[in-house]
Amino acid sequence: MLLVLVALLYFAIDNLIMPRVTRHGSEITVPDVSNKPLPEALEALADTGLVFGDSTTHHGTESQQGLVRSQNPRAGAKTKPGRRVHLTIYRGFPEPIAVPDVILASLRYARSDLRRAELIVHPDELPDTTRSPFPDMVTRTEPPAGVHLQKGDTVRIWYGLGLNPNHSVEIPNVAGMQHNAAEQILRPLHLWPSPLGYDKSDNPLITRQSPEPGSHVPQGSTIRLFADSSRVDDR
């Protein structure tokens, strides 16, 4: 009788009590809930016998909001019922990044500034027809400075080949013009307008320039511009 009682007790512990405690013998496959809306993902986990753990968030596009980005344990992993699954959810939008102004910077520093801004430098850097004061100096970017991009977007760089000592340019008179209009006249002549003491984004009225109008300078030379910051163009 004693042996029968021991056998029954062993059977009850091994087949009824222990499986409930350890879930021994029960193994399930973690479902793939990536790119699913959160409510749908939670339902899939519950149907499989898993429990939603904690969650973290990650910036996403408008169409990704509320979707599952990743999960832990990963999809396809074998685990026991009741295991907690941690999810990363797309919430919020990435902060826009303004393209840095790298005009007149060397290629090396321009690349560094763009990468620091978490932008990618296009591998095809192109020589520009516009001359620059020094070789390998950035003449323009696409998109231009100030345009807002997302992290990982690409910016292409153009650079100048330096001065052409064999070709001189007569400096036009830009005094009395707004800064933007002055730039539109100087740049096609391969001359570099350099604003002194003012912010060119205000587009102020140019009051004088150096060198003087009528002087002859090599292509790529810098023309220093002085302005009346109280007289700006709001257009």
Side-chain angles (χ1 to χ4, degrees), residues 45-223:
L45 293 176
D47 289 345
T48 317
L50 298 171
V51 178
F52 173 50
D54 56 13
S55 65
T56 55
T57 60
H58 192 277
H59 288 308
T61 63
E62 184 174 359
S63 63
Q64 291 175 319
Q65 298 304 298
L67 300 182
V68 175
R69 179 177 185 265
S70 60
Q71 62 186 84
N72 183 28
R74 70 184 186 279
K78 303 295 184 181
T79 188
K80 297 183 184 304
R83 172 74 183 272
R84 292 184 178 274
V85 179
H86 308 287
L87 303 177
T88 299
I89 315 297
Y90 285 112
R91 298 285 190 200
F93 299 94
E95 292 294 326
I97 300 169
V99 176
D101 186 357
V102 295
I103 304 302
L104 294 184
S106 68
L107 280 173
R108 176 184 175 187
Y109 283 105
R111 294 186 197 111
S112 178
D113 285 351
L114 291 169
R115 288 166 182 157
R116 240 190 330 266
E118 299 186 276
L119 298 171
I120 295 175
V121 180
H122 195 287
D124 295 331
E125 296 165 340
L126 302 173
D128 203 343
T129 55
T130 300
R131 290 281 175 174
S132 59
F134 302 100
D136 295 337
M137 179 176 282
V138 176
T139 55
R140 59 190 170 106
T141 60
E142 181 58 41
V147 172
H148 285 89
L149 302 177
Q150 297 296 334
K151 176 181 176 181
D153 283 348
T154 300
V155 177
R156 186 190 289 268
I157 293 175
W158 279 261
Y159 61 92
L161 301 176
L163 299 176
N164 181 356
N166 299 319
H167 187 83
S168 64
V169 181
E170 182 177 350
I171 301 175
N173 185 7
V174 296
M177 300 180 183
Q178 305 292 144
H179 176 88
N180 291 348
E183 273 206 357
Q184 291 174 5
I185 290 176
L186 294 172
R187 287 291 180 88
L189 297 173
H190 306 298
L191 299 174
W192 282 93
S194 175
L196 296 179
Y198 68 90
D199 186 346
K200 67 179 182 180
S201 63
D202 292 334
N203 195 24
L205 184 73
I206 305 301
T207 55
R208 62 187 179 92
Q209 64 189 78
S210 178
E212 294 295 324
S215 304
H216 286 79
V217 294
Q219 279 188 345
S221 294
T222 298
I223 309 300

Side-chain angles (χ1 to χ4, degrees), residues 30-45:
V30 178
D32 185 1
V33 297
S34 59
N35 294 315
K36 294 182 181 296
L38 182 57
E40 185 178 329
L42 297 181
E43 184 178 352
L45 293 176

